[in-house]
Structures are given as structure tokens and as C-alpha cells.
Amino acid sequence: MEKTDILSLSLEELEQLLISAGEKKFRAKQIFQWLHVKRVMDFDQMTDISVQLRQFLKENFCINGLFMQKRLESAIDNTVKYLYRLSDGNFVETVLMDYNYGKSICVSTQVGCKMGCNFCASAIAGFVRSLEPSEILMQIYETERDAGTRVSGVVLMGIGEPLDNFDNVLKFLSLLSDKNGNNLSLRHVSLSTCGIVPRIYKLADMKLQLTLSVSLHSPYDDKRSEIMPVNRTYNIDELMKACRYYIDTTGRRVTFEYAVIDGVNSSDKDADRLAALLRGMNCHVNLIPVNRVKERNYKTARSGVADFAKRLGQRGINATVRRTLGSDIEAACGQLRRDAGSKGGQDN
Ligand code: SAH
């Protein structure tokens, strides 16, 4: 019988399993805290649990750890990039970023990605599988263990499309913010999506306090469909309606991600159209100088990004240029995993 992945269980689920095994309900909370607060990786370290119960746990559950395969530290800005090996031999990437207000971590939600955005290294390497809640959570626990510090923010912007792994991502978010466990407010969490419209509505209806980031990258349907295939299913008009619904339902501001690519989406006309599209919306634009991936010839002139930001600003749209972090360690998502060269590295 396969053992249950205990780090993916909510406190309530753990309580139910223990009660049906004839144990006391309060034991679940003790175990939950060992896992999510003290973060032990071995049932024998749960010293206030009886030997008998520990034995039961060992026979029925596993604590699913990640193995650090690679760790790259930027010489420029303290960014650390991790390549973690999962229990089945697949790889995921995690990036720890150092901002002046604290550390922020970028986690992956899938091994690879199905969405096929043509500027993204994760998409180019293909899709293998979705991550379990514990595998998303453990990227944070392992990285915090390595860094010897807690992170103050989490972004779901690593490899994968979070809304294509909806249930596990939601479970991860509830574990991350559980008051009896890790207890990080979802106000410090951003979830980035390429725009799976029905899932944006579903997420909005849950009224979580997280920030929704939407990867837009062009205000024109033909161009967006060319670089982001998801636009052929959910076009810009449908996406904007879903974003407005999200804002109205949650009261939260939406962020639009826009990777500026010379000759693709960086003209004055693009900026003007983008400004018109977003006018009156409670939103913010995050401009990213495109990270080069070796399969594409895309590039950005820094000055081009600044001009684009200025033009948006003049048209009343709040835009910032994201700092490029870890440029010396390939911190752009998907690049390390793709180059790992073993299982999950070259699947297509
Ligand atoms: N699938 C989600 C989250 C992962 S990608 C999404 O699409 O939003 C995180 C962000 O990085 C997205 O905004 C994505 O469009 C952007 N991105 C991917 N490749 C990039 C590149 N080469 N340069 C700049 N941004 C990139």
C-alpha cells in the first residue's frame, strides 16, 4: 500500500485519519505543528508522540522531502536559485530573492508547463506533471532551512501554470496560511496566471486575500495569440472581464505582467492600446525586460522599457519596471531544469 503524503494533508484531514485509527483528535495538531512549525523530517523526532503512534505514522505516512541538486548564488544581488529533485526524480526550480523589505520566494507549481508561451523556457522544455501541495510547500521549507531565515513573501511565478493545477495550489495556499502551521498571510502571496479565464472566476469566488498577477504581454489579440497560445481559447476581452470580476469580488488590485520584447510588443502604439485597455481598472503594470532564452532571439533595450513605462504613466497607468535579479545565474524560470539533462529536462 502506498503511504499517504502527510505534508499535503490539512489539519482536519489528519484529524479524521487519526480518529478513524482510534487516536485522540488533539494528536493531529501536535503532529501538524511538528511538520509545519518545527519542520522535522522524521517521525522519530516527534518526541511528545508515543512510540506506538510514531510506528503507526511510519507505517502509513511519508514525509515527502526535496533534495537540493544544485544551488546557484548570484554575485550581483544575493539571489539564490535552487534546483530541487523530487522523490520521483523530476526537477523543479525555486528562486530566493533579496529585496530591501525582506526575502521573497518564487516557487514552481508544475514540472514543466502545457501553456506553450513562446518566450518562456519552461514551456519550451515541455510538461511532465503537476506538483502535489507538499512539493510546492517544501520548496519554501527547504529554502528557508538553507537560507536560515523566513521569507516574507511568496510568488507563484516559477515553472508551471498555477491555475492548471488548481486544487493542489489551493490546498498549498491553505497549508501555507494555516494558523496552526506556517501561518503566512495570503496578503503576502501573488499568484501569476497566463489567463485561464474560468479558473480566474473560480478563484475570485473564493475571496482569498492574495494578489492575482495576469501575464498579458500584448494588448492585441493577434499578437497575444502568437506568443501565448492560451489567448486562442480565452481572448483579451474575456480575460479583462474576468479580471474586472476578480477586482470587484475580492476588492484586490490586479497586477499585469508585461515582458517588453523589442519588435514584438514595445511600440508606442502598444503602450497606447495597453493604456486604453486598462483605463479605470484598479490595477498595476509590472514591466519586465524579457529574459533571453537561447531558443529565441527576443531581447529588450533597457531604455525601451523605461520609455514604455513613461508613456503608460502619461496615460494614467501605474507601471513599474521590475528589477532584473540573478541575471548571472539564469534566474529566469525553466532554464536550469531544462539544462539538468536528465528526467524532466528534455521531455519533448
Ligand atoms: N504560468 C504563469 C506563471 C509562471 S511564469 C504565468 O504565465 O503567469 C511567471 C512570469 O514570467 C509570467 O509573467 C511569464 O509570462 C513571465 N516570463 C516567462 N518567460 C519570460 C521571459 N523569457 N522573460 C520575461 N518574462 C518571462
Side-chain angles (χ1 to χ4, degrees), residues 119-120 156-158 160-162 192-194 215 217 257 259 288 290-291:
F119 45 85
C120 176
L156 280 73
M157 286 193 187
E161 166 51 47
S192 182
T193 179
C194 63
S215 301
H217 305 315
E257 305 287 326
I288 321 161
V290 72
N291 280 306

Side-chain angles (χ1 to χ4, degrees), residues 23 27 30 43-44 46-57:
E23 290 289 341
R27 291 284 175 210
Q30 283 179 307
F43 292 114
D44 278 331
M46 301 182 175
T47 47
D48 56 2
I49 306 289
S50 71
V51 174
Q52 196 188 3
L53 177 54
R54 278 188 247 159
Q55 193 54 36
F56 167 79
L57 294 174

Side-chain angles (χ1 to χ4, degrees), residues 106 109 113 115 117 119-122 156-162 191-195 213-217 228 257-260 288-293 298 322 332-333 335:
C106 176
T109 54
C113 189
M115 298 298 132
C117 301
F119 45 85
C120 176
S122 307
L156 280 73
M157 286 193 187
I159 300 173
E161 166 51 47
L191 182 153
S192 182
T193 179
C194 63
S213 289
V214 175
S215 301
L216 191 55
H217 305 315
M228 301 182 70
E257 305 287 326
Y258 197 102
V260 182
I288 321 161
V290 72
N291 280 306
R292 297 193 78 153
V293 289
Y298 290 154
R322 193 197 287 171
C333 52
Q335 305 198 4

Side-chain angles (χ1 to χ4, degrees), residues 100-171:
N100 41 22
Y101 54 82
K103 302 259 186 203
S104 178
I105 191 170
C106 176
V107 296
S108 296
T109 54
Q110 296 180 312
V111 181
C113 189
K114 295 178 204 160
M115 298 298 132
C117 301
N118 85 350
F119 45 85
C120 176
S122 307
I124 293 164
F127 176 78
V128 179
R129 68 170 176 88
S130 285
L131 295 184
E132 294 299 320
S134 64
E135 292 173 323
I136 311 174
L137 197 61
M138 283 307 280
Q139 294 172 58
I140 300 174
Y141 292 4
E142 277 307 323
T143 302
E144 289 186 336
R145 203 189 311 270
D146 176 68
T149 182
R150 295 295 298 266
V151 299
S152 49
V154 175
V155 296
L156 280 73
M157 286 193 187
I159 300 173
E161 166 51 47
L163 298 188
D164 185 46
N165 184 17
F166 196 86
D167 293 344
N168 287 351
V169 164
L170 265 289
K171 187 78 174 289

Side-chain angles (χ1 to χ4, degrees), residues 171-236:
K171 187 78 174 289
F172 154 75
L173 292 172
S174 83
L175 288 165
L176 182 73
S177 55
D178 195 304
K179 295 260 180 307
N180 288 298
N182 184 66
N183 196 19
L184 181 81
S185 161
L186 293 183
R187 289 184 168 273
H188 303 297
V189 178
S190 295
L191 182 153
S192 182
T193 179
C194 63
I196 303 184
V197 163
R199 303 274 166 84
I200 294 177
Y201 284 103
K202 202 168 157 190
L203 187 67
D205 287 335
M206 292 176 161
K207 295 195 169 64
L208 302 176
Q209 286 304 298
L210 53 83
T211 299
L212 181 69
S213 289
V214 175
S215 301
L216 191 55
H217 305 315
S218 173
Y220 292 103
D221 272 321
D222 53 351
K223 183 57 74 179
R224 192 168 187 266
S225 293
E226 187 188 312
I227 60 175
M228 301 182 70
V230 68
N231 196 72
R232 298 171 204 159
T233 312
Y234 308 110
N235 67 20
I236 294 174

